[in-house]
Amino acid sequence: MKFDIAVIKGDGIGPEIVTEAMKVLEETGRLYGHSFTFTQCLAGGCAIDQEGMPLPRETVDVCRKSHSVLLGAVGGPKWDDQPGHLRAEKAILGLRSEMGLIANLRPALMFDSLADACPLKPEFVRGGLDVLIVRELTGGIYFGERGRKQTPDMGEMAYDVMPYSEKEIERIGRVAFEMAGKRNGKVTSVDKSNVLETSRLWRSVMHRLKEEYPEIEYSDLFVDNAAMQLVINPKQFDVIVTENMFGDILSDEASMITGSIGMLPSASLGEGSLGLYEPIHGSAPDIAGKGLANPLATILSAAMMLRYSLNLPEEADCIENAVNRVLKEGQRTADIAKPGETVLSTSQMGDMVVKALSKN
Ligand code: NAD
């Protein structure tokens, strides 16, 4: 099969890590008889430098016409002083809205061979960890009305409104139930319905939805309890679904349980098959251009792309197994190496994964 992939390498370590993911995709295509046509587009700081804006129209057009989008990372100190609408990170928010992406999927997957990197006691994560956080991406407090006003006697006041509609809740709920059906059949919906009206609506929509998925084991959890449960008993979770801000916070917490920021992929999906796939980390300006970046999060993002946008689960498994094999063999980039261990460069790690693909 033939696939058109829009590629946004971005800034900092972006070009280095995306190059490795492209190598892995090409080799996977060769092994399974698919061809990937990559169209490189500008976004972020490099787009500000070359086009005067973080998200050029042409990039949006190419992304929308492609089967999927692979992104490295954007931003860096060079562009930090730009006015709000010209900041490099605006490219990500712009892409999410232009591509109609409503769900952010962040698996927190702990590889057995990296168990030492987990900050929790070994007994809490024995046997590995595999949690998927499904975060609502386009609603809630990040997109609600906001402002400031003077009060007569309390000084200046600021407010951010957290609106949610039934439709927004239902469509993210469906993503979670469908994902759980393909995994271990459990959904935990996280809200704050003891306090927030949006959460009460959230919970009632989720309860309506769970009737449509009787095969899925469903439970509710308050967000403060969820934050606690993630560190004392993370293995109880399969899929966690939650609104935008709670998901922002909980997904960082969950991903850190696995130990290394350089290992974690993410997918942002809309209602069709088009998706945006990127590592959860940023552009790491402190190590950019030095060959020190771990490309595995981006390579695993490419695997998610095969699974969720291109419907190639076997090929996705092949990449994930190759990463697992390379880690089991003890291959390490600097961020996941223990003192004294041999350290691979970004491209050497990419080459190892490419080689391991054909051993599956
Ligand atoms: P960061 O994730 O870039 O880096 C945090 C730390 O993790 C750094 O020490 C870095 O060296 C390390 N690190 C990150 N990725 C790594 C990898 N693959 N291998 C090895 N080490 C890795 O976060 P930050 O420093 O807060 O942000 C840097 C820039 O990235 C900022 O401009 C920020 O706005 C931007 N950012 C972009 C995205 C995105 O493009 N989606 C996300 C987060 C941050």
Side-chain angles (χ1 to χ4, degrees), residues 223-281:
V223 63
D224 37 353
N225 193 7
M228 202 165 70
Q229 294 298 326
L230 269 172
V231 288
I232 57 171
N233 185 11
K235 284 170 67 82
Q236 70 184 285
F237 297 115
D238 177 23
V239 175
I240 293 177
V241 59
T242 190
E243 65 88 38
N244 204 342
M245 182 170 61
F246 297 164
D248 192 4
I249 299 165
L250 290 181
S251 61
D252 269 23
E253 185 191 358
S255 59
M256 278 304 97
I257 292 171
T258 66
S260 172
I261 195 166
M263 292 294 307
L264 296 166
S266 80
S268 299
L269 302 176
E271 284 178 291
S273 63
L274 180 63
L276 173 70
Y277 297 84
E278 56 176 325
I280 71 156
H281 59 71

Side-chain angles (χ1 to χ4, degrees), residues 13 73-76 89 92 261-262 278 281-287 293-294 335:
I13 60 171
V74 299
E89 295 78 6
I92 305 278
I261 195 166
E278 56 176 325
H281 59 71
S283 60
D286 51 334
I287 57 167
N294 183 346
D335 57 314

